[in-house]
Amino acid sequence: RNLISQEDFNFHFKNLRYAKGRRNTFLCYEVTRKDCNSPVSLCHGVFENKGIIHAEICFLYWFHDKVLKVLSPREEFKVTWYMSWSPCFKCAEQVVRFLATHHNLSLAIFISRLYDIWNTDTQQKLCRLVQEGAQVAAMDLPEFKKCWKKFVDNDGQRFRPWKRLRTHFRYQNSKLQEIL
């Protein structure tokens, strides 16, 4: 789908330290071609978990089947993800493999919340993503605003930050930096 409801965005992307009951992962994506000075947006949309298939894997299947066939291997592309949860270690491993075989792609992942950060496998796979060239960062106000504007059925309303968004960002960011 192309847009998230306001309710889903506010519930699933709220960057709480303890996000009880938020089991679904939303992945908002944008694919751009690196053209000289200004990137050209090719496509964007939203994936979410489909049963036991995580949003990242849904994206990789879709990208491989629908998008790669029309992209020139001689051009460079950037994929940007805005995720409600960071990838689990299994998904991170799949993304690492994907990046290792597609050298003309760069990936930036902005996460609202860290998933299973006490698991050493998860920590190692997040580090592997960065080693493979992915940029991994916590979402701050500019990323939430961009998500709201591009991926939420917002009826023309501007993004209203929730209480303690910056405090929660600093927590998520510091934990991510410790891992990386």
Side-chain angles (χ1 to χ4, degrees), residues 88-98 125 128-129:
C88 70
F89 72 90
K90 289 180 182 176
C91 289
E93 178 60 33
Q94 294 284 348
V95 175
V96 164
R97 284 194 216 137
F98 181 80
K125 296 305 178 192
R128 284 283 297 123
L129 278 171

Side-chain angles (χ1 to χ4, degrees), residues 138-173:
M139 288 177 72
D140 198 357
L141 186 58
E143 290 80 33
F144 286 112
K145 283 181 175 178
K146 181 166 185 174
C147 258
W148 178 267
K149 189 174 181 181
K150 191 167 200 94
F151 302 106
V152 176
D153 187 6
N154 61 38
D155 293 328
Q157 299 174 33
R158 65 180 186 82
F159 176 64
R160 288 193 181 93
W162 43 82
K163 288 181 180 167
R164 304 190 63 195
L165 181 147
R166 294 303 305 266
T167 303
H168 294 311
F169 159 73
R170 284 191 288 275
Y171 171 79
Q172 299 290 343
N173 187 53

Side-chain angles (χ1 to χ4, degrees), residues 24-83:
N24 207 9
T25 297
F26 283 86
L27 182 156
C28 304
Y29 69 88
E30 182 171 31
V31 179
T32 56
R33 181 175 52 235
K34 294 180 182 176
D35 264 3
C36 303
N37 295 334
S38 58
V40 177
S41 182
L42 300 174
C43 56
H44 67 276
V46 178
F47 282 98
E48 61 184 295
N49 294 356
K50 296 286 183 215
I52 60 169
I53 303 174
H54 291 185
E56 304 92 310
I57 305 308
C58 292
F59 175 89
L60 292 178
Y61 283 144
W62 168 82
F63 192 81
H64 188 267
D65 290 347
K66 304 280 189 224
V67 180
L68 272 180
K69 294 175 181 171
V70 298
L71 298 181
S72 167
R74 293 180 297 283
E75 292 182 285
E76 291 197 12
F77 300 92
K78 180 175 184 180
V79 177
T80 305
W81 289 353
Y82 302 91
M83 299 183 66

